[in-house]
Amino acid sequence: MISRNQIRYIVKTLRTMPRVSITMSGDGKSKAAFKYFTTRHPKCPIFARKELGVALIRIPDDITDYESGRKMQAFRTNRNRATKAGYVFQLVKPLYYIDDIMDVNSSMQVRQERSMSESYMDRRQVEMSWQDVETIPAVLDATGVLVAYADISFCGEVAVISRILGHGEYLDNGIMYLLVDGIMRLVIERKSKYGQPEWLMYDTLLGAKEGLRYFKERLGFQPYRVQWLWKETPD
């Protein structure tokens, strides 16, 4: 059931969120994401699935532009907590860390009031999902154990975080903030080199539970109404 606070948030967001157009491009995975984003929403078919309240950050030119300011104080505090505890951000080969990934997936049976999908618990399915992925963003502890990871796709003007998970036992250590810090540095570097992406996306804010919405807002994500466009690129 939707709480009164969620209803107030939805109404306010629908009234005030800015509109943007984002052009996607890339491989088959990117094209599939575009098709999913732009198909009709099953509960409100006059809109696309990922049209309203899309959680976005406009990627800055420098990491200090992202992390500075009073609104990002909690982000900096939690990231620094993880760093001081010996955690490090690193790009890793997912299949090499498959045991650690399975430990992360199974560390909490329920996340954001939802039971974990069986696809996260089935080792074979998890291995197959990473079969063609060279590296993923991750956080390792001081002994080299993976404790958090994300799947990020570069789709033209937008970089899409499609899953992001941390080990339940260590969430209070700030590992997710360190992970997002590393991801932001990664997309800033890519933007500097290739001129894009312009945006970082983390699903939506309208459909998120209050706890997850709060986490996204602390990371700097804001709700937008998005017109998705597709641009074919040479193979």
Side-chain angles (χ1 to χ4, degrees), residues 60-215:
D61 295 325
D62 188 89
I63 189 65
T64 56
D65 295 331
Y66 167 65
E67 64 185 14
S68 61
R70 292 180 61 186
K71 290 184 177 181
M72 298 301 288
Q73 178 61 51
F75 171 85
R76 296 192 300 270
T77 298
N78 282 282
R79 178 204 58 197
N80 293 343
R81 179 183 295 117
T83 301
K84 290 177 182 178
Y87 296 99
V88 296
F89 174 85
Q90 191 171 311
L91 292 176
V92 303
K93 297 180 182 298
L95 292 180
Y96 182 82
Y97 286 89
I98 194 66
D99 289 336
D100 293 347
I101 289 174
M102 293 306 302
D103 284 343
V104 170
N105 292 357
S106 60
S107 64
M108 297 176 68
Q109 297 300 313
V110 177
R111 294 179 188 258
Q112 300 302 325
E113 302 177 24
R114 295 179 180 177
S115 298
M116 288 290 291
S117 169
E118 285 298 320
S119 62
Y120 284 87
M121 303 301 180
D122 187 307
R123 184 186 180 97
R124 180 171 176 77
Q125 289 189 57
V126 174
E127 288 177 336
M128 290 181 64
S129 70
W130 298 122
Q131 202 68 45
D132 299 319
V133 178
E134 186 175 349
T135 60
I136 59 171
V139 169
L140 310 182
D141 69 11
T143 66
V145 174
L146 183 150
V147 295
Y149 71 92
D151 185 6
I152 182 168
S153 302
F154 294 98
C155 309
E157 292 182 351
V158 63
V160 180
I161 298 174
S162 56
R163 63 180 135 172
I164 180 168
L165 288 174
H167 196 293
E169 188 174 342
Y170 311 115
L171 293 178
D172 289 342
N173 295 344
I175 58 175
M176 302 309 291
Y177 294 87
L178 179 59
L179 179 58
V180 173
D181 177 82
I183 290 172
M184 183 57 71
R185 292 172 188 272
L186 182 67
V187 296
I188 288 174
E189 180 181 355
R190 189 178 179 96
K191 178 185 175 182
S192 174
K193 186 175 182 179
Y194 300 109
Q196 58 183 27
E198 290 288 336
W199 300 91
L200 179 64
M201 173 185 170
Y202 183 5
D203 201 38
T204 67
L205 284 161
L206 284 185
K209 297 290 185 180
E210 289 186 62
L212 181 56
R213 189 183 78 219
Y214 177 67
F215 173 64

